[in-house]
Amino acid sequence: MTDSVVNRRRARTLFALIAVSVLIVDVLTKIAAVAWLRPAEPVPVLGDLLRLYLIRNPGAAFSIGEGATWVFTILAVVVLAFLLIAVVPGLRHRGWAVGLGLVVAGISGNLGDRLFRTPGFARGHVVDFLQLPYWPIFNVADMAVVFGAGTIVFCWLVKGVGHDGVLESEREDAKRVEQEAKETAGE
C-alpha cells in the first residue's frame, strides 16, 4: 500500500468534492460563454495564445462524428455508469479519487449539454469556447477529462497503484501465492 491510501469514505468524499466542484465550474463557464460571447467573434485573452471563441460542437474533439451525437451520449452514459457503479465504491487512493472526480465531472458536463441543449434531447451540441493555437476549441469539461485521465494513468502505470490503493506488484504477488496454494491443495 502507498501513503496516499485513505479509508473509502474519505476517498469517496474527495472524489465527490472534486466532481461536484468541477462540474459547477464547467456549467457556470458555459452559461457565461453563451451569455457573453458571439459565435465567430473571437475574444483575445492572452493575445493569440488563448482566445475565447464560442462554438456548438455536435461531435467529439476535432468535430469528429458530427452526425453521431447520440452515440457519444450513449457512450458517456455507459462510461459514467461503469465508473460510478464498479470503480468508485472500491476507491481508497487519493490520486485516483482526484483523477476519477475530474473524469466524472468532465463526462457529466458534456453529457448535460448533449442531453439538454439544442437541437434536442440526446442530440444536443456541446458548448466549447476556449481556443489555443493548433488545438480544437474546448471547455472546462474537456480539460477535466484530460487531466483526470492523466492523473489516473500516472497513478496506475507510473506509481503502480490501483484505485483501491493496492500496489499492482502486491496484487500480482497475492495472485501467485493464491495460485500456488490451489496447486498445493490439488496435489
Side-chain angles (χ1 to χ4, degrees), residues 1-7 10-11 14 92-96 154-155 159-162 164-167 170:
M1 297 237 182
T2 69
D3 58 349
S4 293
V5 175
V6 294
N7 69 42
R10 283 190 178 174
L14 177 59
R92 289 199 55 219
H93 189 269
R94 284 186 188 107
W96 273 85
F154 179 79
C155 290
K159 291 297 211 176
V161 65
D164 56 1
V166 176
L167 291 171
E170 291 176 3

Side-chain angles (χ1 to χ4, degrees), residues 25-71:
V25 170
D26 179 63
V27 169
L28 292 177
T29 57
K30 287 175 180 174
I31 289 170
V34 169
W36 297 333
L37 299 174
R38 291 195 172 113
E41 292 183 19
V43 177
V45 176
L46 296 173
D48 288 336
L49 181 62
L50 174 64
R51 300 186 316 172
L52 301 178
Y53 192 103
L54 179 64
I55 65 166
R56 307 291 181 120
N57 186 356
F62 301 100
S63 295
I64 295 170
E66 289 183 9
T69 302
W70 62 273
V71 172

Side-chain angles (χ1 to χ4, degrees), residues 18-19 21-23 25-26 98-110 138-152:
I18 297 286
S21 298
V22 173
L23 179 58
V25 170
D26 179 63
V98 170
L100 286 171
L102 289 168
V103 168
V104 165
I107 292 171
S108 299
N110 286 340
F138 59 99
N139 59 41
V140 172
D142 298 331
M143 288 190 301
V145 170
V146 169
F147 287 115
T151 301
I152 291 167

